[in-house]
Amino acid sequence: MAAPASRRRREPSSRSWPLLFVAILAVHSVAIYLFTRGFLLTRTELDVHSHRDDRTGVSPGCSSWPRPAVDRLVIVVLDALRFDFVAPSTFFPEKQPWMDKLQVLQKLAAEEKNSARIFKALADPPTTSLQRLKALTTGGLPTFIDVGNSFGAPAIVEDNIMHQLVKNGKRVVMMGDDTWTQLYPEHFNKSFPYPSFNVKDLDTVDNGVIEHLLPSLRENDWDVLIAHFLGVDHAGHIFGVDSTPMIQKLEQYNKILEDVIDTLKSLSTPGGPHENTLLLVMGDHGQTLNGDHGGGTSEEVETSLFAWSSKTPPDAVLSVLGANSCNFDLYGAEVCISTMQQLDFAATVSALLGVPFPFGSIGRVNPELYALSAGTWDDQKMGVDACTPQNDLEAWKRRYAEALCVNSWQVKRYIDQYSGSSIIGFSAEYLHHVAELYSKAQANWSVALRSTCPSETAEEEFKASSSSPLQLQIDAYSDFLESFAKLARSAWTEFDLWSMGIGLLLMILSVITQACVLVKLNTICQPSDQESTSSRAIPKLSFAFMLVAIRAASILSNSYILAEGRVANFLLATSCIAGVWHSATKGNFSIEEFVFLLLNIFARFGIEFGMSKQIAGPTVTKDHPVSIILDMFGSSFCNGLMDIFPIISLALVAYIVLKFITYAIYQRFLKYFIMSGTILSYIFIANHWASESTLFFHSKAIRDIGISLAPRFVYAIGGFSLAISALCRLFGAIDTLRLNERITSLSAAMLCSWSPTILILLGRQGSFVALICITGAWCIIMLQQKYQKDLKLDIIGVANPVSVTQWSLFAVCLFYLTGHWCTFDGLRYGAAFVGFDHFHIIRQGLLLSIDTFGVSHILPVLSLPFIAVHCYNKASKKSKVKDVTTNILIQYLPL
């Protein structure tokens, strides 16, 4: 009686183990939430949201607020404007098809050097549109925690340019991207917003802007006009930079800008409405060659700003603009390009319009952009003696120094407020250094003021100095402002150490508990007469632990986000090679290990192909694996194969899935319903891909049905199948089935419901990825059986630790294989609009989430029961442990 009692105590409870693991995963999730929340506690949460700056309380050292230098301001925003869209191609090593399309801007910069200039504007990441607009208008640094609001922007409550414009009587008109009205719902006298998230729509927003832009330029009911185009951004997301739609959009913008400039020039005569108007044509961020943005690569942070003043400044402006980077364009005319930080945009525009700087602005009034406005060169009397400067340049320097004085005072006031209200603030050493720079600049201000009057003292001081006192004063203020901006960039993120500590502690405890439970489960699943097999399993367990430890350590690398796919693939290849070598030395070689190794090689090429889209530069290198494949087979052959192979492989996937359904689902009604839905879904997917292909010819009506309606039918069938599966679980007669059969049936139904949606969102690569996933599962099953055989276990229910690790690494490889990335520009926005042309935040957000996590989480997790059901079928007759499927799933799911 003792032996059976002992065996009963060692048998796992079919309900307690899953509940225990669910509890562990819940604790782990809470730990991750607390840790990330503590990490993402940023300046935005600590800022004084309700503080609205005004004109009261000017620093005693500054004479007055900057006077308006322009009467009207026109801002044309070309979303995702790359620097090489504007700069002449002669500034780059190789000319590309998308260069030199905005000829009107290059021509003005070459012919009107005194009043026109091209700038390379450097943005701060993250380079998503909402964060960039927020940073441009507040003058602060963007924060990654705001990225979650990109699909539903809340109104900005921080002090910003828009608030200051309205408060000081400026009339603002906006047309284009509706993000502006979300951020500033009550700041526009007139607005013409258009929906911005349908990336397939290249024209609606742009056509709306074109409709209102030129008529508005002729009206007198505004002081600031904002026109935000989106065509370039959407063309990049869908077609990429090197594409015909992108070139067409740039050519369209060139024509629009020609009309805008001609209109401004015709109305810029003395007394005209645009006599003193400043035109800014700018991008909010750049984009990669693949059309993505959101990260911090040079292609994403480098954008353009073109400035043109309708009133020409004096020739002395060239002394301020200088010749930082000059070259000849295609027509032999010299074009000079300057560089500025987008952080300086808010402060510069505020100074030009004569409104207070936003309270949270930490930028500097850019000297070159400020000098392009002729209003900053107007003669003025200075000092109490009403003496005038000797030349235009000295007069401008005086005015610019006054603007920097107020600019520096505002930033210093913000530093004091921020340091007093933040949790940690800046270090005392940094604050002391910044305070010294400000005090030094203020102490020299009186000397600079005296130098502007022709007195003997001023003349002696000027002769004794290599630079004028005004220039030294400008340098002193600039050093202060640039030093704090550098400090803010390096130490802006605050940390809630308590939340991070509690989260880290819970994470460690949950991992330790999870490991102990797995060891206990492994011990329970082994009968007492086979405890000697534990010693033979130790090498496998140690090797699996080593792989996991290496991956965990690699996460600490600062470049791991970009290298994770390669790291996971390398570790997976290492495990495959080790398995092949071990089997060869033992004389027990199996074909499954060799197939799994080949599968890993294919995955490597797929990951490299996905990475080739992110490589900076026009093309991949000749020694790149993608280029080698194209050279071997030819690009035309590869393109034809990419049209035909997806449909062929889709038929094979459908056959395999239907075969699995036959064995996995035990309820007759659910089985035939899922089979019917799966067949219909795969037919619609094939129809959708054939409609997109150029090898097949269809009428326009049939093509539209295949492109728009077929994906919707797939979504509907998948949702209906999930609903039927849930109803069968709740009301069906499943109590007669064993727990293994119930888990397998419902998981198979969920897999067949989810997989068609995932495949159609992945595009034509979906069926190939599904074959790789199925082949990988088959290899895992075979290796699991071999593991049981090698250990001579007469019980199945103990998972091979190496196979568990391989399945986890394999899921990561699938994520990168499909072109996904763990960066903001790695989101495949086009997948959110498969079957739809209009944006809806819930619908498109759900589709984007399914596409992002489908191959890395949904498919691998739902595929586990297929692995377990095969083990169950083998173990059903001889297993001494109940609920084999549950035991195996519990050992696979944690990773």
Side-chain angles (χ1 to χ4, degrees):
M1 297 295 295
S6 175
R7 184 174 291 109
R8 283 195 300 270
R9 287 194 301 269
R10 298 174 71 89
E11 290 180 359
S13 171
S14 61
R15 298 184 182 274
S16 60
W17 289 114
L19 292 177
L20 179 59
F21 270 93
V22 168
I24 293 174
L25 292 175
V27 173
H28 199 68
S29 300
V30 172
I32 294 175
Y33 167 77
L34 290 173
F35 186 82
T36 54
R37 184 184 182 278
F39 178 77
L40 292 175
L41 182 60
T42 59
R43 175 197 64 84
T44 305
E45 293 185 81
L46 301 174
D47 201 353
V48 187
H49 294 301
S50 60
H51 188 96
R52 298 294 196 181
D53 200 4
D54 53 26
R55 293 178 180 272
T56 60
V58 180
S59 172
C62 305
S63 58
S64 64
W65 287 89
R67 295 183 296 108
V70 297
D71 297 331
R72 309 179 87 181
L73 178 64
V74 179
I75 302 176
V76 178
V77 181
L78 305 181
D79 208 290
L81 184 69
R82 287 169 59 98
F83 174 61
D84 55 8
F85 286 169
V86 178
S89 59
T90 53
F91 281 79
F92 304 94
E94 184 178 355
K95 188 181 187 305
Q96 300 299 330
W98 59 84
M99 296 180 180
D100 298 322
K101 300 305 177 184
L102 299 178
Q103 288 284 331
V104 61
L105 303 184
Q106 298 178 9
K107 183 179 179 181
L108 275 177
E111 296 178 353
E112 303 182 21
K113 291 185 172 63
N114 285 22
S115 57
R117 192 76 165 189
I118 295 175
F119 292 84
K120 177 193 285 187
L122 303 178
D124 292 287
T127 51
T128 55
S129 294
L130 181 142
Q131 281 67 46
R132 292 313 315 145
L133 292 183
K134 182 176 180 180
L136 285 169
T137 53
T138 62
L141 294 174
T143 54
F144 280 90
I145 198 171
D146 292 328
V147 174
N149 297 325
S150 294
F151 293 96
I156 291 180
V157 295
E158 294 179 76
D159 194 18
N160 55 80
I161 292 179
M162 308 307 298
H163 169 77
Q164 292 298 340
L165 290 174
V166 174
K167 186 176 181 179
N168 290 275
K170 301 293 184 181
R171 300 161 298 174
V172 185
V173 173
M174 190 285 303
M175 56 199 69
D177 187 352
D178 63 350
T179 304
W180 285 94
T181 55
Q182 296 177 36
L183 297 176
Y184 306 105
E186 301 176 354
H187 293 75
F188 302 110
N189 292 71
K190 290 194 303 184
S191 62
F192 306 97
Y194 297 90
S196 59
F197 286 111
N198 185 2
V199 294
K200 286 187 175 181
D201 186 354
L202 307 185
D203 301 315
T204 298
V205 177
D206 291 356
N207 291 341
V209 175
I210 295 171
E211 178 184 354
H212 297 96
L213 178 55
L214 293 180
S216 297
L217 292 176
R218 300 181 181 277
E219 297 176 358
N220 294 318
D221 59 350
W222 57 269
D223 300 297
V224 177
L225 186 148
I226 301 171
H228 193 143
F229 292 86
L230 282 176
V232 163
D233 180 59
H234 289 182
H237 282 304
I238 300 299
F239 303 103
V241 172
D242 190 5
S243 63
T244 300
M246 177 66 76
I247 294 175
Q248 291 174 344
K249 269 297 166 186
L250 292 174
E251 292 173 345
Q252 179 189 25
Y253 288 169
N254 186 68
K255 180 63 172 63
I256 295 170
L257 292 174
E258 281 183 350
D259 295 339
V260 169
I261 293 171
D262 290 342
T263 302
L264 293 177
K265 284 185 175 181
S266 66
L267 300 174
S268 62
T269 56
H274 294 297
E275 178 185 3
N276 186 21
T277 296
L278 181 66
L279 170 66
L280 299 179
V281 180
M282 59 182 295
D284 52 351
H285 51 73
Q287 58 178 299
T288 65
L289 292 177
N290 196 38
D292 297 321
H293 56 87
T297 63
S298 60
E299 289 183 309
E300 296 167 278
V301 300
E302 291 180 1
T303 183
S304 297
L305 185 146
F306 171 83
W308 174 77
S309 175
S310 62
K311 186 177 181 180
T312 304
D315 291 338
V317 69
L318 297 177
S319 300
V320 180
L321 297 177
N324 297 334
S325 177
C326 296
N327 204 342
F328 294 99
D329 63 12
L330 295 177
Y331 304 98
E334 186 182 50
V335 177
C336 294
I337 294 178
S338 302
T339 302
M340 69 171 291
Q341 299 287 335
Q342 274 196 352
L343 185 67
D344 300 337
F345 178 81
T348 307
V349 170
S350 297
L352 289 171
L353 293 172
V355 300
F357 300 102
F359 175 72
S361 173
I362 60 172
R364 172 185 70 132
V365 178
N366 183 270
E368 295 172 286
L369 184 56
Y370 189 70
L372 280 173
S373 173
T376 62
W377 295 87
D378 292 340
D379 291 337
Q380 56 180 324
K381 294 184 178 181
M382 300 182 178
V384 295
D385 298 328
C387 52
T388 57
Q390 297 177 352
N391 53 55
D392 290 334
L393 183 59
E394 287 297 310
W396 180 87
K397 286 184 177 181
R398 164 64 188 253
R399 182 163 181 166
Y400 179 60
E402 287 180 344
L404 285 183
C405 180
V406 180
N407 188 186
S408 300
W409 167 75
Q410 168 265 322
V411 172
K412 180 61 169 62
R413 185 176 57 161
Y414 175 73
I415 295 173
D416 297 337
Q417 183 76 25
Y418 177 84
S419 300
S421 61
S422 66
I423 297 176
I424 300 176
F426 299 111
S427 66
E429 180 182 355
Y430 282 127
L431 288 176
H432 179 70
H433 174 67
V434 171
E436 279 188 344
L437 291 176
Y438 181 75
S439 300
K440 180 181 178 181
Q442 286 297 94
N444 294 335
W445 182 233
S446 59
V447 177
L449 288 177
R450 291 197 306 272
S451 70
T452 61
C453 295
S455 63
E456 295 181 359
T457 304
E459 290 178 359
E460 293 176 358
E461 290 177 350
F462 180 79
K463 293 178 181 179
S465 175
S466 58
S467 300
S468 68
L470 278 175
Q471 185 60 50
L472 294 176
Q473 184 63 35
I474 291 172
D475 293 340
Y477 281 134
S478 297
D479 288 344
F480 162 72
L481 294 169
E482 291 172 358
S483 296
F484 180 69
K486 182 179 179 181
L487 169 62
R489 285 190 177 96
S490 63
W492 205 244
T493 303
E494 300 285 354
F495 301 97
D496 185 349
L497 299 181
W498 281 104
S499 294
M500 292 179 66
I502 295 174
L504 185 61
L505 179 62
L506 288 176
M507 196 181 301
I508 294 174
L509 291 177
S510 65
V511 170
I512 294 175
T513 305
Q514 183 174 297
C516 294
V517 171
L518 286 175
V519 172
K520 181 66 175 177
L521 181 62
N522 186 72
T523 303
I524 290 176
C525 289
Q526 290 183 1
S528 57
D529 57 348
Q530 292 188 1
E531 292 181 356
S532 61
T533 60
S534 298
S535 59
R536 284 179 285 170
I538 290 178
K540 292 273 188 182
L541 188 61
S542 301
F543 182 65
F545 178 80
M546 182 188 70
L547 293 176
V548 174
I550 293 175
R551 187 188 175 197
S554 63
I555 294 176
L556 302 177
S557 170
N558 61 355
S559 60
Y560 184 71
I561 291 179
L562 298 178
E564 182 180 7
R566 288 194 180 108
V567 171
N569 184 264
F570 173 78
L571 294 177
L572 183 61
T574 301
S575 65
C576 293
I577 294 174
V580 171
W581 177 80
H582 181 265
S583 299
T585 56
K586 296 292 184 179
N588 189 23
F589 181 76
S590 62
I591 188 63
E592 294 83 11
E593 292 174 328
F594 181 72
V595 171
F596 203 37
L597 180 60
L598 288 180
L599 200 66
N600 184 68
I601 296 174
F602 280 122
R604 175 67 180 197
F605 277 104
I607 293 173
E608 290 295 333
F609 181 75
M611 292 186 66
S612 67
K613 303 179 187 178
Q614 307 293 328
I615 297 176
T619 56
V620 295
T621 58
K622 293 183 179 180
D623 57 347
H624 195 274
V626 177
S627 297
I628 296 174
I629 294 177
L630 293 177
D631 292 338
M632 289 174 58
F633 299 100
S635 58
S636 59
F637 173 80
C638 292
N639 291 332
L641 187 63
M642 291 302 295
D643 283 330
I644 299 175
F645 181 74
I647 298 178
I648 298 176
S649 58
L650 182 67
L652 182 58
V653 170
Y655 171 79
I656 296 174
V657 171
L658 292 174
K659 198 74 174 177
F660 272 121
I661 291 175
T662 303
Y663 291 101
I665 301 180
Y666 296 88
Q667 298 160 279
R668 179 172 298 180
F669 169 77
L670 184 61
K671 176 187 293 186
Y672 290 112
F673 178 83
I674 294 296
M675 289 180 66
S676 302
T678 300
I679 293 173
L680 286 175
S681 295
Y682 281 83
I683 291 175
F684 285 126
I685 294 175
N687 182 28
H688 176 70
W689 289 347
S691 300
E692 292 182 330
S693 174
T694 58
L695 296 180
F696 304 95
F697 298 96
H698 314 278
S699 65
K700 185 178 185 300
I702 296 178
R703 185 175 181 273
D704 291 340
I705 292 174
I707 292 178
S708 299
L709 293 182
R712 301 184 189 185
F713 286 134
V714 173
Y715 305 151
I717 293 172
F720 193 49
S721 299
L722 285 176
I724 294 297
S725 301
L727 291 176
C728 289
R729 173 65 180 88
L730 294 175
F731 305 107
I734 61 174
D735 294 335
T736 57
L737 301 176
R738 296 181 59 185
L739 181 62
N740 297 317
E741 296 173 344
R742 275 182 276 168
I743 292 177
T744 305
S745 296
L746 295 176
S747 298
M750 292 181 65
L751 177 63
C752 295
S753 302
W754 281 102
S755 58
T757 298
I758 296 173
L759 292 184
I760 199 169
L761 292 178
L762 288 175
R764 288 178 292 179
Q765 64 176 340
S767 56
F768 180 66
V769 174
L771 284 178
I772 292 178
C773 186
I774 293 172
T775 306
W778 174 78
C779 292
I780 293 291
I781 291 172
M782 297 297 104
L783 293 176
Q784 170 70 22
Q785 292 182 1
K786 182 182 178 183
Y787 174 75
Q788 299 286 343
K789 183 179 179 180
D790 290 344
L791 294 183
K792 298 180 181 180
L793 293 175
D794 61 353
I795 176 175
I796 298 183
V798 182
N800 182 359
V802 176
S803 297
V804 174
T805 306
Q806 287 177 332
W807 188 250
S808 174
L809 295 173
F810 191 56
V812 177
C813 291
L814 290 176
F815 177 80
Y816 288 92
L817 174 66
T818 51
H820 292 90
W821 291 87
C822 289
T823 56
F824 297 116
D825 57 347
L827 294 173
R828 301 172 67 250
Y829 295 102
F833 292 91
V834 174
F836 298 96
D837 293 326
H838 302 287
F839 176 78
H840 186 277
I841 185 170
I842 297 177
R843 180 181 63 204
Q844 266 57 59
L846 179 61
L847 292 178
L848 185 62
S849 300
I850 294 174
D851 174 73
T852 303
F853 299 105
V855 293
S856 60
H857 293 78
I858 299 175
L859 283 182
V861 171
L862 294 181
S863 297
L864 290 180
F866 284 112
I867 299 176
V869 70
H870 193 87
C871 297
Y872 166 75
N873 290 335
K874 295 291 184 181
S876 57
K877 295 182 179 180
K878 61 179 180 179
S879 178
K880 300 177 183 179
V881 179
K882 296 180 180 180
D883 303 319
V884 175
T885 305
T886 305
N887 300 333
I888 296 176
L889 287 177
I890 287 174
Q891 296 172 73
Y892 271 89
L893 281 174
L895 289 178

